[in-house]
Amino acid sequence: MGRARAGRDEPNFDVPEGRAGARGDLDLRLSRADRAGGGGQKSPQTRSDVPKRANGTGAQRSRGGGGRGSSGGGRRRRSFLGRLVYGGVVLGLWVLIGVAGLIAYHASQLPPIDQLAVPKRPPNIAILASDGSLLANRGETGGRVVGIKELPPYLPRAFVAIEDRRFYSHWGVDPVGIARAVAQNITRRGVSQGGSTLTQQLAKNLFLTPERSASRKIQEAILALWLEHTYSKDEILELYLNRVYFGAGAYGVEAAAQRYFGKPAKNVSLAEAAMLGGLVQAPSRLAPNRNLPAAQARAAQVLAAMQELGFAKPQDVKVALAQPARTASTRGGGSANYVADLVMDVLDDFVGKFESDIAVQTTVDPALQAAAEKALVDELNAKGGKYNVGQGALVSMRPDGAIRALIGGRDYAQSQFNRATTAKRQPGSSFKPFVYLAAVERGATPDTVREDAPIKLGNWQPENYSHQYEGAVTLRTALALSLNTVAVRLGQEVGPKAVVQTAQRLGISSALQANGSIALGTSEVTPLEMVGAYGAFANGGTGVIPYVIASVKGPDGKLLYKRADSSLGRVIDPNAVGMMNAMMHETFVIGTAKKGDIPGWDLAGKTGTSQDFRDAWFIGYSGSLVTGIWLGNDDGEPTKKASGGNLPVEIWRNYMGVALKGQTPVPLPGLNRWRKPPETTASVSSGQTPGGLLGALLGDPQPAPRQAQAPSQRPRQPAAEDKNFLEKLFGL
């Protein structure tokens, strides 16, 4: 062992003799030739040539000539441009990752794609006249849904031209459009143009809030991509046209066309289409009913864009520029809206819940509606100030209850309160026919005589306007001349409760007070109730329920409701109807409505004036039409002697003259049997003095004071009816 260790050679790193001076420069790295396959076999002399590689010159050659930095295969230093490109690529990748992260985050805030669906549009209620023409729209949108194929081609093209000219080529988001908008906004030093496509605008309207933020814009773009993937271009454009807001409460192109031009969207002209296309940029600022010059200027820009894109012919554009669109005028604020409000009040009684558009056909005749509005408004404009009358209402219906015209006020734009259906006012003497009917049903006739003389009921002493009395008079004459004392006597004979029951049987639904003054119409009622009750006189004794809805149809034309014949049944005996018609006919012959007569027609009716001239009424009828007028002030302020026989009769005559024109006269039921012979019509009764007759003819006495009046307060004197007919009758 010891010898073995003694003979073992230990590693020796000493430099061989003669090389000690180069120890510090020893290069132990392998050359390319020393590596396996590094360059083939070398001669022993070459591999053992250490001194040459170890000396200074050799080392420098090895580090300089064989290093990675040399052209012989070492590390190359990149140029500035190379480093810039490399950095840009890396930055772009990070930006792309960041954008993808943002998109993913905001997409996660939306419902899952497989659950996305276009929200249902709130249903529209189209309210139509009896001839199918549109009276009004109701609902949140203001118009029905229209298909793009229903519209003239230039209408949707107007929106594409001004809002998104690359609509048919982009995929929901338009980078070119965004870049163009950014460039224009920069050059104009302000936000003057947006880059949203029509699809993005639709996405915003359908799914998002009006919030203006980067987050919302990202969600808008995501939803736009989904819309483009799900729907065709024409489907997207159709959705857009039916959802975009046009101002004035109009959502959708149909609502806007009706609101601004009074016509369906399918009938708009090129100029009107251009105006609609320009509206969506700023509906409030550009609404033509508020700022017509601005709307027309914007429409001119739309027309120029349409011509540039070939969407409209130059000659058509020239005509449209020469004749710019104007809004349709709605006189009186649109009285048809009172009809529409009535429809909406009762619609739930006929159809259940509906989620699609419906069309409600009414009984209203648009020509009669216009004539009624004109008659009422013209009279109030001409004489309302003189008589201190601020408001009025008119209801006209067929004897079967079908409403043909309804005016709820002087101007719907100023007041939406429907006085025809909602306002309850004292009817005055127009309530007396119910008193006379109760008496007729208990044996009286038109020729029954009663005493026109002072009467006192407790502390109340009703009087005729003239303070004069005629003595014995027939009921025919007493009703025609509206004598208060006779009406009160009849009311006492039959009993106030019988009067109330009679009125309710004919259709009066308001609460009635069964007291002595009920005979003079002190309980408040609505015009619609009164006209409905008078319908039984016009149709021969059948009680009617006034109605305005004839049918309701769904969007596919499916019938949802159709009115069946219905009534209150017989409420007046036919013989009693004849007597009542004969008595009320005299109102047009010798009574307070003489100037309302229409030659060739048998007419009947009754005027009414409430205490202190607060309310003026006239309800008259032919065998084919019943029309009632109320005039007064909403706050109950007394008028300046407006009575049933002046302004209301004039309005009635003007309207009925139009309504009955060209029709064949219809006889009043039972009138001929009880009609007073013409030769005796001028005679009131034996024993009357001319002076007393003149006093009675002065007008329509008023009812008793209001219920709230203190018992110790003396009632005001009755109001006078119209006196003008006296001038004609006696040549005064």
Side-chain angles (χ1 to χ4, degrees):
M1 292 289 292
R3 286 191 300 270
R5 282 197 189 110
R8 181 180 179 181
D9 293 332
E10 296 295 333
N12 188 356
F13 295 98
D14 291 340
V15 178
E17 186 177 353
R19 298 180 184 177
R23 183 175 181 177
D25 296 328
L26 179 64
D27 187 355
L28 299 179
R29 293 177 298 176
L30 294 176
S31 68
R32 182 176 300 175
D34 294 330
R35 298 188 181 105
Q41 293 293 327
K42 298 288 184 177
S43 64
Q45 293 83 355
T46 305
R47 289 202 314 263
S48 61
D49 191 13
V50 175
K52 293 180 180 179
R53 296 172 59 190
N55 60 26
T57 304
Q60 290 175 2
R61 185 181 296 113
S62 174
R63 288 191 296 268
R68 295 183 181 179
S70 70
S71 59
R75 180 187 299 271
R76 296 184 178 89
R77 297 186 63 185
R78 293 182 178 84
S79 67
F80 174 77
L81 180 60
R83 291 198 302 272
L84 185 64
V85 171
Y86 176 79
V89 171
V90 173
L91 179 62
L93 289 173
W94 279 110
V95 169
L96 185 61
I97 293 171
V99 170
L102 279 175
I103 293 175
Y105 170 76
H106 288 96
S108 69
Q109 307 303 308
L110 297 171
I113 291 296
D114 58 352
Q115 297 180 15
L116 274 179
V118 172
K120 289 185 177 180
R121 186 177 186 267
N124 179 71
I125 300 96
I127 299 172
L128 312 177
S130 58
D131 63 357
S133 61
L134 183 70
L135 290 175
N137 282 298
R138 286 293 184 269
E140 296 180 26
T141 57
R144 71 178 182 90
V145 173
V146 293
I148 197 168
K149 293 182 179 179
E150 297 180 56
L151 305 173
Y154 51 74
L155 180 53
R157 289 173 182 172
F159 293 85
V160 173
I162 196 65
E163 288 292 319
D164 187 3
R165 60 176 55 199
R166 288 170 45 83
F167 172 72
Y168 284 101
S169 61
H170 64 63
W171 29 270
V173 178
D174 184 13
V176 175
I178 294 174
R180 183 176 60 247
V182 170
Q184 291 190 15
N185 293 340
I186 292 175
T187 57
R188 296 180 184 180
R189 297 184 180 180
V191 179
S192 59
Q193 182 172 345
S196 293
T197 64
L198 287 178
T199 314
Q200 287 177 271
Q201 294 179 40
L202 176 63
K204 176 183 66 177
N205 292 336
L206 291 179
F207 302 105
L208 302 173
T209 65
E211 174 193 1
R212 298 175 64 89
S213 65
S215 175
R216 200 220 58 170
K217 293 296 290 185
I218 294 173
Q219 291 180 332
E220 179 184 292
I222 296 170
L223 292 168
L225 295 174
W226 175 81
L227 285 170
E228 291 277 350
H229 175 74
T230 309
Y231 298 95
S232 69
K233 287 291 187 178
D234 282 349
E235 288 173 332
I236 291 172
L237 188 54
E238 182 177 297
L239 281 169
Y240 178 86
L241 293 174
N242 281 293
R243 301 298 182 97
V244 69
Y245 183 58
F246 288 88
Y251 288 85
V253 70
E254 176 70 11
Q258 293 286 359
R259 175 66 181 84
Y260 295 122
F261 308 126
K263 64 176 68 172
K266 64 181 180 181
N267 293 338
V268 298
S269 65
L270 176 60
E272 291 165 342
M275 184 171 286
L276 292 176
L279 269 180
V280 296
Q281 182 193 52
S284 298
R285 179 173 59 85
L286 297 174
N289 61 335
R290 300 178 59 183
N291 192 350
L292 183 60
Q296 290 177 338
R298 176 67 173 169
Q301 295 177 354
V302 176
L303 289 169
M306 293 179 72
Q307 180 175 334
E308 177 185 346
L309 295 173
F311 290 169
K313 297 179 180 179
Q315 58 268 32
D316 294 336
V317 171
K318 184 176 181 180
V319 172
L321 290 172
Q323 301 175 358
R326 294 182 175 275
T327 55
S329 60
T330 53
R331 176 172 41 84
S335 67
N337 285 296
Y338 289 115
V339 177
D341 289 348
L342 174 59
V343 168
M344 296 305 296
D345 287 342
V346 302
L347 184 60
D348 288 345
D349 297 335
F350 304 104
V351 294
K353 184 179 181 181
F354 52 92
E355 297 182 352
S356 300
D357 291 356
I358 62 172
V360 181
Q361 185 156 19
T362 70
T363 58
V364 171
D365 184 321
L368 297 188
Q369 180 74 17
E373 182 178 3
K374 185 177 189 307
L376 178 69
V377 174
D378 286 356
E379 186 78 2
L380 290 179
N381 288 343
K383 299 182 179 180
K386 175 182 177 181
Y387 285 89
N388 189 36
V389 176
Q391 280 296 346
L394 182 151
V395 177
S396 184
M397 74 176 198
R398 290 198 310 251
D400 67 350
I403 296 172
R404 304 296 279 164
L406 185 143
I407 313 295
R410 186 173 187 169
D411 187 343
Y412 185 87
Q414 296 297 322
S415 172
Q416 291 78 53
F417 179 61
N418 196 332
R419 296 155 190 85
T421 63
T422 309
K424 292 190 174 184
R425 307 299 291 253
Q426 287 187 346
S429 293
S430 65
F431 196 83
K432 286 179 181 177
F434 308 129
V435 181
Y436 279 70
L437 175 59
V440 165
E441 291 177 335
R442 286 159 178 76
T445 71
D447 296 319
T448 296
V449 176
R450 287 294 182 268
E451 192 75 14
D452 177 27
I455 183 174
K456 186 175 182 180
L457 300 178
N459 294 327
W460 178 47
Q461 186 173 347
E463 298 176 322
N464 294 333
Y465 174 78
S466 64
H467 304 291
Q468 297 179 356
Y469 304 94
E470 307 305 327
V473 294
T474 63
L475 298 189
R476 184 194 309 271
T477 300
L479 183 58
L481 302 181
S482 199
L483 301 178
N484 274 353
T485 62
V486 175
V488 172
R489 278 191 169 86
L490 289 177
Q492 292 301 301
E493 289 177 17
V494 301
K497 184 177 292 186
V499 174
V500 169
Q501 292 173 344
T502 300
Q504 291 174 338
R505 188 172 78 243
L506 268 63
I508 299 296
S509 58
S510 293
L512 302 175
Q513 302 298 318
N515 52 32
S517 67
I518 190 67
L520 301 185
T522 53
S523 290
E524 296 177 337
V525 294
T526 68
L528 183 60
E529 286 179 281
M530 291 294 289
V531 173
Y534 271 61
F537 299 125
N539 67 28
T542 300
V544 301
I545 303 172
Y547 68 97
V548 70
I549 297 179
S551 65
V552 181
K553 294 182 180 180
D556 55 356
K558 181 181 178 182
L559 192 64
L560 303 179
Y561 164 80
K562 183 176 177 60
R563 187 182 186 277
D565 293 336
S566 62
S567 69
L568 298 176
R570 177 160 292 282
V571 295
I572 312 175
D573 180 79
N575 197 45
V577 172
M579 286 188 274
M580 291 302 303
N581 285 338
M583 287 189 284
M584 284 192 279
H585 174 64
E586 292 299 305
T587 304
F588 283 91
V589 179
I590 65 167
T592 53
K594 184 176 180 181
K595 66 180 178 180
D597 188 44
I598 299 175
W601 284 85
D602 285 338
L603 305 172
K606 186 68 189 77
T607 56
T609 310
S610 71
Q611 180 189 8
D612 294 335
F613 299 95
R614 286 186 170 89
D615 306 280
W617 295 73
F618 179 58
I619 304 169
Y621 54 94
S622 68
S624 60
L625 202 60
V626 186
T627 300
I629 315 288
W630 167 84
L631 298 179
N633 294 303
D634 287 338
D635 59 1
E637 179 184 355
T639 68
K640 294 179 179 178
K641 296 188 176 180
S643 63
N646 50 43
L647 303 190
V649 168
E650 292 173 6
I651 294 171
W652 190 93
R653 173 63 177 81
N654 292 336
Y655 165 71
M656 291 290 280
V658 174
L660 300 179
K661 186 177 181 180
Q663 295 188 23
T664 301
V666 178
L668 288 174
L671 172 62
N672 289 333
R673 179 180 177 185
W674 295 96
R675 187 195 301 266
K676 188 172 184 178
E679 63 273 14
T680 60
T681 296
S683 174
V684 178
S685 69
S686 59
Q688 286 184 322
T689 63
L693 174 60
L694 286 175
L697 286 173
L698 282 177
D700 176 30
Q702 296 185 64
R706 297 175 181 266
Q707 301 296 323
Q709 187 174 17
S712 60
Q713 181 179 352
R714 178 181 175 85
R716 294 182 180 271
Q717 297 302 316
E721 283 285 356
D722 180 67
K723 306 175 186 178
N724 293 339
F725 71 92
L726 289 174
E727 300 176 359
K728 300 178 181 179
L729 185 62
F730 296 99
L732 300 176

